[in-house]
């Protein structure tokens, strides 16, 4: 029978073009035991996260098909959801690591017996080649490596097959966690080099379509724009073998269809639904809905200091007092998040980030502040949002427009297409008032500040400039959290954000995933893509 | 006109199409670049710095002048290379050969459904004007155009899949348990038949039915209206009166004389409806997760993916030329008075 033959002859990580002709997925897929069906709005556009132009859904390939040196350990939230524990790392391809007494290098010991899918052992040379690649290719991978002070190939050394050393440019709390993000994956360098050419020494064309790794899953099929199918790599040594044998990820662009598929039981996991659907599915009680606050991220209103009224702190505070927080949270976000308003004190009590800002909807206070600033009659301002995020940004903008009108600020709404958003908001920084949702992979307030509050940084679309913020951010960015100087400095920093409010946080959004009740093991990561390695499906 | 003449005419017509294709190539090239939005910035990702944006710009060839870029595009085109779509990461030619058949298969079936309903309805309405049949035709047609496609689509999914459970899951061209048949034409139904695999054929057809009906309902209106109008006109003309007066049977008058003469405007409408459907069924594609060409083009346009947009427009232009030619040839078969050069 042909489908049986397929199982036998199925090679390693066959690309879509080499799929043998057979009519059905192997038998167990039909029965769906051990097969997880995921429906999502968007799919990967490359199998290589380090390629130029790779989209966000492709990060899942790096997570599921490749290993990193280290991974994050898991903690359990109050609602039972698993979440990565950023503060504690666990071994993945590296069995152990030690930081040199002088703090200038980290030595990793590779796990013995771990192999790539084709049986080649995973060695320190593979790590060296892969890291060299990440810092040499340019673009996103290089920028992300740099965040962990990993900047040039000379920093990486394969001492022998089992020993890999990173020489540190500076001691930084960001280096080790940065090795757990999706970028620094370990390629099968022997296989990759075989497929490299003189023009393409890093085998970008080959790895773009054909993954070459040793992760928990192998690629069974990739039909771009339609589906990605993973098959478990049974020889995986770098962690606990996944609970499902096969994962089928289908791209279904319409959110309504994705919801119907879940409700009919044809899909096990449904991603990217609008907040309203998650709220309703959650109320129905028939599905597990996992809503995890997205770390180091908030939905906020940016006020551009180059726009004259906003240069005045009193005006910014007035705006912060006229935001209809509660309405936005209920009607635009459907309560799928954590409120970031109504903080008790103007000085932060903890170094938690994000934390509620000390503002609430208070039109009288706003009017007084506007009068004091000399804008008793209000002013006109355009409010921009990214059309790609219209689902929640549009109702949010309309609510803002209505309530700012009550204090005399006349808002016109300006919708910006996704392709132009980055240029207008982040590069030219020309939007007077806009809706932001930046999130940082590395979860520290100083890291957020580095990207969003520091002068000239890409995500500082507010043109905010405060030398004190600069000074505090630079002092804390690489500092260990347990350093006694860290907490006071961070509190001072957050206090400045409270008072200056170039950015008015509204809520910290949830990352929502809807699952059938028999699916367990979902774990949230900052990169917001599914880690299929932890899923199990209980069959009754 | 003998066969040889006809062949010459067809070749002539194809030659005539060359200038318009060249025009289209130039216009799309200029238009894509005149769009706002910088693809290099977009594809560099949100956290990119100036240096990596510049690297992307160079790798996309966007640092060169327009004439230089155009020359590269033309020389690539001459070798059949349509470039690589940055957003999907695949060669545009590959995307088109996979997505165009998906769209064509859906559109053909939708047209077939549409014709099967619209022609009898239109003819019936024309032969009995202002009776209940005519009113029915009017209602169906009005409902067809006034219901937005995404609404009909979602309603169909809701009714036939969600409530009744008779339709397969709206998961694109094949349900999860099936694998695509060996690609020959890339029309799944045809490929499955060629492979002698009736199970996959049935599965592919089942996936097609709901989206095809959704799309078909929308195109009922122009076809039914045109059939009715053309039939009314022909039925009131002198030669029909003569035929009737000569005592020919009603069915002979209707189908042999009247309908055949009414076919020309219907065919013209058909051609227009077809090309319109092919590119504009984005909403149907979205609702049914259909990997067609419409959503590919829209997504490419949104992110300023030049190669993909150019490839799409070029493919559509060539398709349109071929379609027009086919329809013109069909004219000559229906009505010998029409010449290809006319």
């Amino acid at each position: 029978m042909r489908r049986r033959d397929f199982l036998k002859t199925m090679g390693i990580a066959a690309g879509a073009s080499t799929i043998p002709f057979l009519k059905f997925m192997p038998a167990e897929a039909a029965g769906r035991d051990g097969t997880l069906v995921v429906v999502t709005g968007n799919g990967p556009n490359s199998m290589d996260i380090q390629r130029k132009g790779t989209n966000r859904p492709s990060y899942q390939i790096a997570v599921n098909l490749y290993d990193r040196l280290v991974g994050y350990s898991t903690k359990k939230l109050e609602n039972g959801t698993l979440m990565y524990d950023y503060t504690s790392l666990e071994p993945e391809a590296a069995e152990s690591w030690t930081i040199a007494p002088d703090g200038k290098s980290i030595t990793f010991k590779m796990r013995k017996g771990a192999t790539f899918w084709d049986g080649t052992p995973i060695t320190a040379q593979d790590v060296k080649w892969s890291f060299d690649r990440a810092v040499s290719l340019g673009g996103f991978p290089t920028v992300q490596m740099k965040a962990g002070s990993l900047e040039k190939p000379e920093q990486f050394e394969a001492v022998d097959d089992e020993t890999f050393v990173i020489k540190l440019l500076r001691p930084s709390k960001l280096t080790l966690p940065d090795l757990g993000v999706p970028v620094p994956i370990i390629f099968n360098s022997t296989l990759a080099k075989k497929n490299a050419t003189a023009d393409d020494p890093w085998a970008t064309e080959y790895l773009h379509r054909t993954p070459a790794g040793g992760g928990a899953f192998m690629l069974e099929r990739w039909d771009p724009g339609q589906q990605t199918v993973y098959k478990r790599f049974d020889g995986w040594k770098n962690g606990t073998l996944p609970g499902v044998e096969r994962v089928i990820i289908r791209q279904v662009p319409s959110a309504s269809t994705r919801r119907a598929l879940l409700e009919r039981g044809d899909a096990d996991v449904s991603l990217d639904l609008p907040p309203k659907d998650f709220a309703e599915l959650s109320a129905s009680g028939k599905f597990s809905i996992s809503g995890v606050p997205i770390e180091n991220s908030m939905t906020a209103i940016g006020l551009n200091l180059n726009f004259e009224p906003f240069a005045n702190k009193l005006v910014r505070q007035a705006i912060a007092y006229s935001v209809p927080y509660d309405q936005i949270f209920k009607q635009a976000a459907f309560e799928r998040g954590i409120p970031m308003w109504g903080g008790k004190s103007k000085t932060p009590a903890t170094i938690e980030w994000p934390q509620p800002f000390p503002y609430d909807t208070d039109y009288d206070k706003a009017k007084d502040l506007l009068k004091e600033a000399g804008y008793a009659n209000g002013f006109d301002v355009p409010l921009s949002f990214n059309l790609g995020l219209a689902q929640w940004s549009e109702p949010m903008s309309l609510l803002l427009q209505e309530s700012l009108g009550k204090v005399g600020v006349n808002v016109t709404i300006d919708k910006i297409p996704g392709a132009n958003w980055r240029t207008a908001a982040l590069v030219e920084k020309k939007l007077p008032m806009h809706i932001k949702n930046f999130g940082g992979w590395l979860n520290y307030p100083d890291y957020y500040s580095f990207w969003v509050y520091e002068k000239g940084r890409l995500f500082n679309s507010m043109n905010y400039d405060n030398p004190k913020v600069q000074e505090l951010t630079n002092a804390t960015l690489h500092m260990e959290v347990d350093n006694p100087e860290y907490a006071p400095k961070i509190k001072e920093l957050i206090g400045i954000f409270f008072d200056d409010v170039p950015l008015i946080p509204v809520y910290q959004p949830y990352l929502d995933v809807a699952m059938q009740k028999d699916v367990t093991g979902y774990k949230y990561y900052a990169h917001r893509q599914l880690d299929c390695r932890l899923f199990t499906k209980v069959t009754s | 006109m003998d066969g040889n003449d006809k062949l010459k005419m067809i070749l002539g017509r194809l030659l005539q199409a060359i200038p318009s294709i060249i025009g289209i190539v130039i216009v799309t090239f200029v238009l894509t670049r005149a769009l706002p939005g910088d693809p290099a910035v977009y594809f560099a990702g949100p956290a990119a710095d100036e240096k990596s944006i510049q690297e992307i710009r160079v790798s996309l060839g966007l640092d060169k002048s327009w004439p230089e870029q155009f020359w590269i595009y033309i020389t690539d085109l001459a070798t059949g290379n349509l470039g690589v779509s940055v957003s999907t990461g695949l060669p545009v030619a590959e995307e088109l050969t996979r997505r165009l058949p998906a769209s064509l298969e859906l559109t053909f079936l939708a047209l077939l459904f549409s014709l099967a309903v619209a022609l009898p309805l239109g003819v019936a309405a024309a032969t009995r004007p202002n009776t209940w049949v005519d009113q029915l035709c009017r209602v169906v047609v009005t409902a067809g155009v006034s219901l937005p496609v995404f609404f009909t689509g979602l309603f169909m999914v809701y009714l036939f899949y969600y409530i009744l459970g008779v339709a397969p899951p709206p998961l694109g061209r094949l349900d999860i348990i099936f694998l695509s048949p060996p690609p020959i034409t890339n029309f799944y139904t045809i490929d499955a038949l060629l492979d002698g695999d009736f199970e996959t054929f049935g599965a592919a057809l089942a996936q097609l039915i709901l989206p095809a009906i959704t799309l078909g309902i929308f195109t009922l209106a122009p076809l039914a209206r045109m059939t009715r109008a053309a039939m009314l006109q022909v039925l009131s003309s002198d030669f029909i009166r003569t035929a009737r007066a000569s005592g020919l049977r009603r069915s002979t008058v209707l189908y042999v004389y009247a309908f055949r003469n009414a076919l020309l405007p219907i065919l013209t409408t058909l051609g227009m409806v077809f090309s319109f459907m092919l590119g504009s069924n984005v909403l149907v594609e979205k609702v049914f997760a259909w990997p067609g060409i419409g959503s590919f083009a829209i997504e490419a346009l949104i992110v300023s993916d030049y190669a993909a947009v150019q490839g799409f427009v070029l493919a559509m232009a060539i398709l349109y030329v071929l379609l027009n030619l086919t329809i013109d040839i069909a004219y000559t078969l229906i009505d010998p008075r029409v010449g290809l050069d006319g």
Side-chain angles (χ1 to χ4, degrees):
Chain A
M1 202 166 152
R2 281 207 214 169
R3 66 185 86 166
R4 294 276 172 239
D5 294 347
F6 173 73
L7 273 176
K8 281 180 207 147
T9 55
M10 184 61 209
I12 307 139
S17 53
T18 60
I19 291 297
F21 302 143
L22 97 164
K23 296 158 193 164
F24 303 97
M25 295 296 276
E28 69 265 35
R32 301 263 308 268
D33 283 358
T35 295
L36 194 74
V37 179
V38 179
V39 284
T40 176
N42 270 307
N45 66 355
S46 175
M47 293 290 114
D48 177 8
I49 191 173
Q50 298 179 354
R51 184 186 158 89
K52 289 191 179 94
T54 292
N55 62 7
R56 184 175 271 273
S58 305
Y59 300 173
Q60 60 175 300
I61 302 297
V63 174
N64 293 299
L65 266 49
Y66 286 95
D67 291 321
R68 278 143 293 274
L69 281 176
V70 298
Y72 302 119
S73 59
T74 308
K75 64 183 175 196
K76 211 171 199 163
L77 297 182
E78 282 163 27
N79 62 6
T81 314
L82 303 177
M83 179 168 175
Y84 77 111
D85 186 358
Y86 181 74
T87 53
S88 115
L89 297 171
E90 61 181 29
E92 202 162 284
E95 210 165 40
S96 63
W97 58 92
T98 43
I99 301 171
D102 63 357
K104 288 194 175 147
S105 67
I106 312 175
T107 306
F108 295 86
K109 280 283 168 199
M110 302 301 294
R111 191 183 300 274
K112 286 190 188 72
T115 66
F116 291 108
W117 304 318
D118 63 0
T120 327
I122 305 178
T123 67
Q125 279 85 4
D126 293 304
V127 185
K128 160 85 179 145
W129 189 83
S130 307
F131 281 26
D132 286 358
R133 185 178 196 263
V135 297
S136 308
L137 276 179
F140 165 64
T142 305
V143 172
Q144 184 60 43
M145 295 295 278
K146 211 171 169 179
S149 304
L150 305 165
E151 295 175 15
K152 41 184 196 253
E154 295 77 52
Q155 282 181 269
F156 314 122
E157 190 193 346
V159 179
D160 54 48
D161 277 2
E162 277 150 33
T163 320
F164 177 70
V165 174
I166 296 181
K167 292 176 198 139
L168 301 176
L169 296 176
R170 63 187 78 88
S172 166
K173 66 169 182 284
L174 300 176
T175 301
L176 269 171
D178 201 35
L179 294 177
V181 301
V183 171
I185 49 178
I186 301 168
F187 294 98
N188 183 339
S189 65
T190 326
L191 187 58
K193 276 188 226 158
K194 247 182 242 164
N195 291 284
T197 59
D199 290 338
D200 183 18
W202 298 111
T204 53
E205 281 314 308
Y206 176 75
L207 292 171
H208 167 46
R209 286 182 178 236
T210 327
F217 287 97
M218 309 187 279
L219 183 70
E220 178 161 326
R221 213 182 147 91
W222 177 39
D223 302 324
Q226 296 179 62
Q227 66 173 349
T228 319
V229 182
Y230 306 147
K231 183 176 180 288
R232 186 170 68 196
F233 171 45
D234 288 322
W236 195 52
K237 298 275 188 313
N238 291 327
T240 320
L241 208 59
V244 286
E245 286 163 41
R246 181 173 277 103
V247 183
I248 300 173
I249 300 161
R250 276 275 178 132
Q251 265 171 265
V252 179
S254 149
S256 316
T257 311
R258 287 200 295 278
R259 180 174 165 177
L261 287 163
L262 181 80
E263 292 202 60
R264 285 286 303 179
D266 284 311
D268 297 313
V269 180
S270 184
L271 306 175
D272 317 323
L273 294 179
K276 182 170 179 286
D277 281 338
F278 282 115
E280 285 172 11
L281 287 173
S282 179
S284 82
K286 289 181 196 148
F287 306 95
S288 336
I289 307 293
S290 150
V292 184
I294 299 175
E295 283 199 333
N296 212 358
S297 165
M298 44 193 196
T299 299
I301 304 151
L303 304 178
N304 195 327
L305 274 69
N306 282 2
F307 178 71
E308 210 198 305
F310 293 152
N312 188 331
K313 185 167 87 179
L314 298 175
V315 176
R316 299 199 296 269
Q317 290 176 342
I319 303 287
Y321 279 117
S322 10
V323 173
Y325 295 102
D326 197 54
Q327 262 181 308
I328 292 177
F329 188 59
K330 286 191 174 126
Q331 295 167 24
F334 289 89
E335 305 189 35
R336 305 303 297 166
I338 298 174
M340 280 298 135
W341 73 91
K344 295 278 175 290
S345 160
K346 298 213 165 179
T347 47
T350 65
I351 59 163
E352 196 188 345
W353 182 258
Q355 57 171 296
F357 274 40
Y359 295 92
D360 220 325
T361 319
D362 186 341
Y363 298 120
D364 294 331
K365 215 169 200 169
K367 278 183 201 155
D368 290 347
L369 282 164
L370 281 176
K371 201 188 238 172
E372 199 186 331
Y375 288 100
N377 296 324
F379 50 89
D380 292 350
V381 61
L383 166 65
S384 318
F385 68 86
N386 180 345
L387 256 185
L389 306 171
Q391 229 162 36
W392 51 267
S393 321
E394 189 155 21
M396 179 169 167
S397 302
L398 292 170
L399 290 167
L400 266 174
Q401 184 182 38
E402 193 193 329
S403 94
L404 287 181
K406 290 182 188 160
V407 296
V409 177
N410 182 20
V411 172
T412 45
I413 291 180
D414 174 27
K415 307 173 184 182
I416 299 191
N420 302 350
W421 177 260
R422 191 183 182 281
T423 310
L426 305 181
V427 179
E428 295 173 3
K429 304 186 195 295
K430 63 173 186 190
L431 306 178
M433 189 175 179
H434 51 276
I435 294 179
K436 285 175 75 80
N437 71 333
F438 173 81
W441 273 3
L442 305 176
N443 187 21
Y444 297 103
D446 39 292
Y447 188 72
Y448 193 94
S449 176
F450 173 81
W451 281 110
V452 180
Y453 286 100
E454 258 199 22
K455 187 194 172 194
R457 292 292 169 196
L458 186 69
F459 292 96
N460 184 350
S461 51
M462 304 87 70
N463 285 307
Y464 179 61
D465 176 13
N466 183 335
K468 189 72 191 158
V469 165
Q470 209 99 334
E471 182 199 315
L472 288 167
T473 306
N474 291 340
T476 48
L477 191 60
H478 299 292
M479 189 187 279
E480 292 294 332
V481 180
D482 51 14
N483 188 317
E485 278 182 54
Y486 186 74
K489 281 191 193 293
I490 291 295
K491 279 187 195 165
E492 190 183 350
L493 189 65
I494 297 178
I496 297 175
F497 299 161
F498 279 4
D499 189 49
D500 268 356
V501 282
L503 197 62
I504 308 168
V506 181
Y507 62 95
Q508 181 179 14
Y510 279 170
L511 180 77
D512 280 317
V513 175
M515 292 164 285
Q516 301 292 348
K517 288 262 184 199
D518 59 355
V519 177
T520 53
Y522 167 71
K523 181 168 156 185
Y524 162 79
Y525 278 106
H527 50 70
R528 308 179 201 181
Q529 301 297 321
L530 280 190
D531 183 345
C532 300
R533 297 176 294 184
L534 294 153
F535 278 113
T536 42
K537 208 172 146 183
V538 189
T539 42
S540 43
Chain B
M1 194 163 17
D2 63 24
N4 222 351
D5 270 354
K6 224 169 212 173
L7 198 66
K8 244 186 229 165
M9 288 299 178
I10 292 174
L11 282 177
R13 281 293 299 269
L14 286 177
L15 281 178
Q16 280 168 28
I18 289 174
S20 36
I21 301 256
I22 291 177
I24 285 164
V25 166
I26 296 172
V27 170
T28 38
F29 179 85
V30 174
L31 273 185
T32 46
R33 273 149 189 82
L35 286 173
D38 183 342
V41 170
Y42 183 86
F43 290 111
D49 50 16
E50 224 12 80
K51 187 167 152 261
S52 50
I53 292 174
Q54 188 54 31
E55 282 165 6
I56 299 250
R57 193 167 283 135
V58 172
S59 73
L60 293 177
L62 295 174
D63 55 328
K64 299 190 173 67
S65 66
W66 279 23
E68 265 179 286
Q69 289 184 39
F70 188 67
W71 175 248
I72 294 170
Y73 173 52
I74 291 295
T75 43
D76 278 353
L77 208 57
T79 60
N81 178 2
L82 292 175
V84 175
S85 156
V86 198
S87 55
T88 66
L90 296 176
V92 174
E94 193 184 318
E95 287 280 2
L96 291 178
T97 48
R98 198 178 43 235
R99 286 171 177 269
L100 197 56
S103 280
L104 282 173
E105 193 174 28
L106 178 59
T107 310
F108 277 137
L109 198 70
L111 262 191
L112 214 62
F113 163 79
S114 198
L115 283 177
V117 177
L119 290 187
L121 206 59
V123 171
T127 46
R128 300 171 191 78
N130 297 320
T131 61
W132 67 271
V133 183
D134 196 14
Q135 300 301 343
L136 177 78
C137 175
R138 216 163 269 158
V139 170
V140 168
V141 158
T142 317
V145 267
S146 52
L147 292 173
V149 173
F150 72 89
F151 176 79
T152 332
L154 282 178
F155 179 74
M156 292 261 185
V157 169
Y158 183 69
L159 185 67
F160 293 106
Y161 168 66
Y162 186 77
I163 299 280
L164 300 175
V166 289
L171 275 170
R173 300 183 78 181
L174 275 178
D175 197 356
I176 280 169
I177 57 165
F178 292 93
L179 289 185
S180 48
I184 300 164
T185 60
N186 270 326
F187 284 61
Y188 279 10
T189 45
I190 296 177
D191 285 351
L193 282 183
L194 290 177
D195 193 38
D197 177 359
F198 293 100
E199 217 165 339
T200 304
F201 171 76
L205 194 64
Q207 293 293 125
L208 271 167
I209 289 174
L210 282 195
I213 291 179
T214 307
L215 200 56
I217 285 177
F218 192 67
T219 52
L220 274 181
L223 289 173
R225 297 300 293 175
M226 190 46 80
T227 311
R228 182 178 177 275
M231 280 302 281
L232 274 180
Q233 201 187 6
V234 173
L235 285 175
S236 64
S237 56
D238 293 346
F239 73 92
I240 295 292
R241 198 184 50 199
T242 314
R244 281 193 181 131
S246 315
L248 287 177
R249 270 193 313 172
R250 192 183 141 78
S251 58
T252 317
V253 175
L254 204 57
Y255 293 107
V256 177
Y257 292 93
F259 187 62
R260 195 171 163 178
N261 277 290
L263 259 181
L264 278 188
I266 299 176
L267 206 59
T268 314
T269 318
L270 193 69
M272 276 158 52
V273 166
F274 180 81
S275 46
F276 167 77
M277 272 163 105
L278 199 59
S280 71
N281 49 20
V282 183
L283 292 169
V284 178
E285 289 177 8
K286 292 251 187 255
V287 171
F288 293 94
W290 204 259
I293 201 162
S295 38
F296 171 69
I298 290 284
E299 275 152 33
L301 202 58
I302 288 173
V303 301
S304 306
D305 187 346
Y306 294 162
V309 174
Q310 285 163 185
F312 168 77
V313 177
L314 190 63
M316 291 306 268
I318 291 172
L319 208 66
Y320 200 71
V321 166
L322 292 178
L323 183 75
N324 270 339
L325 187 63
T326 318
I327 286 178
D328 286 353
I329 294 169
Y331 283 160
T332 64
L333 298 178
I334 293 167
D335 189 341
R337 288 170 305 181
V338 181
L340 269 175
D341 46 355

